[in-house]
Amino acid sequence: MTTQPQTETLPVNRWNDAEAPTSDGLASLTYRSRLLGSDRTLVNIYGGNTSTKSVEKDHLGRDVTVLWVKGSGSDVASITEKGFAGLKLDEVTPLFDRAAMSDEEMTAYLDRTAFEVGRPRQSIETLLHAFVPAKHVDHTHPDAIIGIACTPTGPDIMREIYGERAAWVDYIRPGFTLSQQIGAAVRDNPQLEAVVMGKHGLVTWGDTSKESYERTLRIIGEAQTYLDAHREAQPFGGAAVQSVPESEREALLARVLPILRGAMKGARPVILSLDSSPEVMEFVNSHAAATLSQVGAACPDHLVHTKRVPMYLNWTPEQGMEALVAEAAAGVARFKAEYEAYFNENKSDGDVMFTPSPRVVLIPGLGMVNSGPDAMGAEVSRQLYIRAIQVMKSSSSLGGFVSLSAAESYAIEYWPLELYKLSLKPAPKALEGHIALVTGAASGIGRAIATRLSAEGAHILIADLNADGGKTVADDLTALRGFRRAGSVSMNVTEEGQVQAAFRHAALTYGGVDIVVNNAGIASSAPIEETSLEMWNRNQSILSTGYFLVAKEAFIMMKRQATGGNLVFIGSKNSVAAGKNAAAYSTAKAAELHLARCLAEEGGAAGIRVNSVLPDGILAGSSIWDGKWRAERAATYGIDPDKLEEFYRNRTTLKVNVLPEDIAEATFWLASPAAAKTTGGVITVDGGVPTAYVR
């Protein structure tokens, strides 16, 4: 192997001989793959593929040479040994001598060469790894390499950097022909250390896993050194606008994000994320961004997650809030029309158009907005466009950025082999893409509701006066459900400013809100002559006024989104049945129910449904019942506090105790598409209390 002096910009070598597997097979491949994936400047999220060839025993004890290659759709950063496909290499390599092979033929053939059942389908670029005659092969998408590969003079620059040590292959869609071209280049030129694929990426190899890894880093480091020597002093032509100060930026984004999110909705809502990092702001604020961003994708692997181009808002901070709002709605409409035209110009029979909304939105002065079917989808879009910015930055300094044509882009975006990756995802759950704000969710009924909605795919915002408890619930849900699936915000429902801040937080965190559960509450009990004005006002303030303030902000945000919405009020048996020694509590609960019915009438035209769930006697997990309320209610009925749960059970028609999870189930149904034609409704979940039967 030819050695070159290390450069200052060589990617960090993370190989640790003490940690690396001593064998040079699948375990070592897994180790190397995860090292490469740990640096996103080398390998895109879900992108790239790695392989090794090893001799294994088959089910009859015979020696078989196996090609282990990354499974389709996996991410090398987190891959395990089970994430690799295993193919019988001796059955694959004869394909090199074929004249041609369609994608369908290639896939069907490779499926029949499986060495081991139960493993994932092999990578789209499996033949590349089979045809390169080296034990270990890495295919990566390094920023530095693609920055050169996406310039008009890429082949010349590569020769200047590597001489005869690297071969250049013009862009064609991955598959049989590209793999054959790369295999031939390596077989016919033993001095090669790498192959650069135009507008695509890098292939490197080695006799050992460590050698392959270190060669990959060295080849990339040489390219980075060249880029550093040609870096522009004013990237992207310098700044055309200045970033909006953070305090003003949040106000602008909180207003525009729900509008963007609503306009971007397809069959399901989307989740948004924000990025206003220095590298993003340098690009979106620049003179070049408006035109450069519309050239095309920086790498074929980006297309499914970013679309061919982002949406660039024709707006500057000097134009103000209303102009931003107007341009956001108009911009999405333009993008959809242009995407539909792109689809119609390139479609084949049977193609079904994806939702024609942008996955990336660039807003001068404010930053980048990314969308996805969930928070992780938005994060993948964000990460990939960060990589695109770095590629465009490098290409621009070397004579210009070039990308795939519209036809080439479409051929990747709607490529059946790429669509197969998407098909590996489980079917979406009922509330996938929805955002739910649940008040009083740090414990009891609210926590159960948040957990149930999260289980059905919703992203949850816990809004509770108990900030620490709310954070604990959010952290638990995120650990259970995945990346950014839940967050929390401290909120006192009686303080209008705090309620407004919570909804602003929802907009900035996820892009808006679809489901609001009014659940926060207290309880108090006393005969009327012992009911103080303070007790009366406190019940009204939290249970009635609090529900009003939350509902008001929900309506404002949902109408901005213009996609409908759901409010669920958690009332009480006391909403419809007289409660002895509970006048303050019962009156406030009755007000909640009537407010919900009034809002159902108001929200109908906007597709906003408002329904109520009326529980009774739920002691389990409730912070309310841990206070004086248990003793007060027990005293009302003349029983010992420890007997209260039994008392409530025995007075029900069904002779059951009601649990927080029972209320959560009713809430989920009302918030789900299954209840799409229900509004102004009331569901009693009390085990059957005849005095509370809804009349």
Side-chain angles (χ1 to χ4, degrees):
M1 181 176 69
T2 305
T3 59
Q4 295 290 327
Q6 275 200 351
T7 67
E8 293 182 2
T9 53
L10 188 71
V12 176
N13 187 333
R14 295 179 169 88
W15 191 281
N16 185 327
D17 287 328
E19 296 177 354
T22 55
S23 65
D24 205 37
L26 185 55
S28 186
L29 170 62
T30 304
Y31 178 74
R32 176 175 98 245
S33 301
R34 292 173 73 106
L35 288 189
L36 289 169
S38 67
D39 185 346
R40 292 305 189 193
T41 68
L42 309 181
V43 184
N44 295 330
I45 185 169
Y46 295 120
N49 34 79
T50 52
S51 71
T52 191
K53 304 173 179 82
S54 65
V55 177
E56 309 289 344
K57 295 289 185 184
D58 71 4
H59 62 293
L60 296 177
R62 299 172 299 192
D63 285 344
V64 177
T65 302
V66 177
L67 170 66
W68 299 106
V69 63
K70 189 192 86 164
S72 181
S74 57
D75 183 12
V76 295
S78 58
I79 199 167
T80 65
E81 290 187 24
K82 293 181 179 179
F84 291 92
L87 309 179
K88 299 170 188 175
L89 185 62
D90 290 344
E91 296 180 9
V92 178
T93 50
L95 296 179
F96 181 74
D97 295 322
R98 287 205 180 186
M101 199 174 198
S102 70
D103 291 337
E104 293 75 17
E105 291 172 330
M106 178 184 72
T107 301
Y109 184 98
L110 292 177
D111 286 345
R112 291 193 292 270
T113 69
F115 169 72
E116 208 169 63
V117 298
R119 286 191 171 271
R121 178 186 278 188
Q122 62 280 348
S123 166
I124 292 168
E125 291 161 312
T126 290
L127 289 184
L128 179 160
H129 295 266
F131 293 166
V132 171
K135 182 175 175 60
H136 300 272
V137 180
D138 295 327
H139 166 41
T140 55
H141 302 119
D143 293 352
I145 295 292
I146 301 178
I148 296 169
C150 285
T151 62
T153 58
D156 296 332
I157 295 173
M158 283 299 161
R159 280 191 292 272
E160 184 179 347
I161 297 171
Y162 303 111
E164 298 301 315
R165 292 183 295 121
W168 174 277
V169 176
D170 286 333
Y171 175 80
I172 58 170
R173 192 175 72 178
F176 177 81
T177 302
L178 176 62
S179 299
Q180 196 176 54
Q181 289 179 359
I182 292 172
V186 178
R187 294 177 183 209
D188 296 342
N189 298 278
Q191 83 283 359
L192 289 184
E193 297 179 11
V195 175
V196 175
M197 296 179 281
K199 306 175 187 177
H200 187 167
L202 174 71
V203 181
T204 45
W205 53 89
D207 293 332
T208 68
S209 194
K210 182 178 182 180
E211 180 182 288
S212 186
Y213 174 74
E214 291 185 338
R215 176 181 287 184
T216 299
L217 266 59
R218 178 171 51 77
I219 292 293
I220 296 168
E222 292 180 64
Q224 188 63 57
T225 299
Y226 184 91
L227 290 173
D228 290 346
H230 294 80
R231 189 73 65 196
E232 290 182 319
Q234 290 283 318
F236 307 120
V241 301
Q242 297 299 311
S243 295
V244 176
E246 186 173 353
S247 58
E248 298 175 33
R249 183 169 70 241
E250 287 197 355
L252 289 165
L253 286 168
R255 175 71 183 281
V256 76
L257 287 176
I259 293 167
L260 274 175
R261 180 171 179 262
M264 293 162 79
K265 180 182 177 182
R268 291 181 177 275
V270 296
I271 302 297
L272 304 185
S273 68
L274 300 172
D275 193 322
S276 55
S277 60
E279 57 196 328
V280 168
M281 300 311 298
E282 179 182 59
F283 180 62
V284 300
N285 290 347
S286 70
H287 285 282
T291 54
L292 191 57
S293 65
Q294 303 305 298
V295 172
C299 178
D301 279 40
H302 295 190
L303 279 159
V304 173
H305 304 285
T306 65
K307 285 194 163 61
R308 190 174 72 88
V309 295
M311 181 176 109
Y312 180 89
L313 256 63
N314 296 313
W315 175 85
T316 60
E318 293 77 16
Q319 294 175 275
M321 176 82 77
E322 295 310 314
L324 175 63
V325 167
E327 172 58 17
V332 175
R334 284 197 307 270
F335 187 96
K336 286 183 175 181
E338 291 167 2
Y339 187 87
E340 288 172 5
Y342 155 76
F343 176 84
N344 289 328
E345 289 167 6
N346 295 283
K347 68 180 179 180
S348 299
D349 290 343
D351 287 353
V352 178
M353 187 173 66
F354 297 142
T355 301
S357 298
R359 293 293 303 272
V360 182
V361 180
L362 306 176
I363 311 178
L366 296 180
M368 175 171 66
V369 179
N370 298 89
S371 74
D374 54 25
M376 190 65 217
E379 172 64 8
V380 171
S381 170
R382 186 195 71 83
Q383 285 195 30
L384 292 177
Y385 206 77
I386 290 286
R387 305 272 57 85
I389 289 173
Q390 296 309 309
V391 168
M392 289 186 286
K393 187 174 184 178
S394 297
S395 298
S396 298
S397 67
L398 298 178
F401 171 66
V402 295
S403 180
L404 309 184
S405 67
E408 289 171 333
S409 297
Y410 185 91
I412 290 288
E413 189 176 358
Y414 286 86
W415 188 18
L417 295 188
E418 279 290 349
L419 299 182
Y420 172 77
K421 295 181 184 179
L422 300 181
S423 74
L424 298 177
K425 295 184 176 182
K429 296 181 179 180
L431 300 181
E432 203 70 47
H434 289 71
I435 301 160
L437 185 150
V438 185
T439 70
S443 61
I445 294 173
R447 179 170 188 155
I449 290 170
T451 301
R452 184 71 182 91
L453 299 183
S454 177
E456 293 296 335
H459 293 62
I460 308 295
L461 190 62
I462 308 294
D464 201 296
L465 190 60
N466 178 0
D468 291 339
K471 183 178 185 304
T472 296
V473 174
D475 289 347
D476 289 347
L477 289 177
T478 297
L480 183 64
R481 303 297 174 195
F483 180 76
R484 287 187 63 232
R485 282 288 179 159
S488 64
V489 60
S490 177
M491 185 182 80
N492 183 337
V493 297
T494 71
E495 296 290 337
E496 185 173 21
Q498 290 191 30
V499 174
Q500 292 170 339
F503 278 86
R504 185 165 60 249
H505 183 76
L508 295 172
T509 303
Y510 295 122
V513 78
D514 305 291
I515 300 165
V516 171
V517 182
N518 248 328
N519 167 74
I522 59 163
S524 55
S525 176
I528 188 63
E529 63 269 27
E530 297 176 18
T531 300
S532 66
L533 180 60
E534 187 276 332
M535 179 188 291
W536 176 270
N537 286 339
R538 188 163 184 263
N539 276 269
Q540 295 297 320
S541 179
I542 295 172
L543 302 177
S544 179
T545 304
Y547 275 43
F548 153 71
L549 291 175
V550 171
K552 176 183 176 181
E553 294 305 317
F555 264 58
I556 291 172
M557 183 163 289
M558 289 173 180
K559 286 188 174 182
R560 285 176 180 168
Q561 290 176 159
T563 55
N566 284 286
L567 275 72
V568 181
F569 283 31
I570 307 303
S572 166
K573 176 266 296 181
N574 292 45
S575 296
V576 294
K580 183 181 178 182
N581 292 348
Y585 174 78
S586 299
T587 302
K589 281 294 178 181
E592 289 175 4
L593 178 58
H594 199 58
L595 174 62
R597 287 168 164 166
C598 291
L599 295 183
E601 184 65 16
E602 283 194 39
I608 301 172
R609 299 191 292 110
V610 189
N611 294 285
S612 299
V613 178
L614 307 186
D616 183 47
I618 300 178
L619 280 66
S622 172
S623 59
I624 291 176
W625 289 98
D626 291 339
K628 296 189 297 180
W629 179 245
R630 179 189 290 263
E632 290 169 347
R633 296 316 291 160
T636 296
Y637 302 120
I639 60 175
D640 188 279
D642 293 339
K643 301 292 185 180
L644 191 59
E645 195 165 19
E646 180 184 356
F647 172 83
Y648 282 138
R649 180 173 64 250
N650 288 332
R651 79 176 182 181
T652 69
T653 300
L654 298 175
K655 299 297 185 282
V656 293
N657 284 123
V658 183
L659 303 175
E661 290 74 18
D662 301 322
I663 311 308
E665 194 65 37
T667 302
F668 159 62
W669 185 81
L670 287 171
S672 76
K677 297 181 181 179
T678 298
T679 193
V682 178
I683 297 180
T684 57
V685 187
D686 57 12
V689 178
T691 59
Y693 288 171
V694 179
R695 295 172 175 84

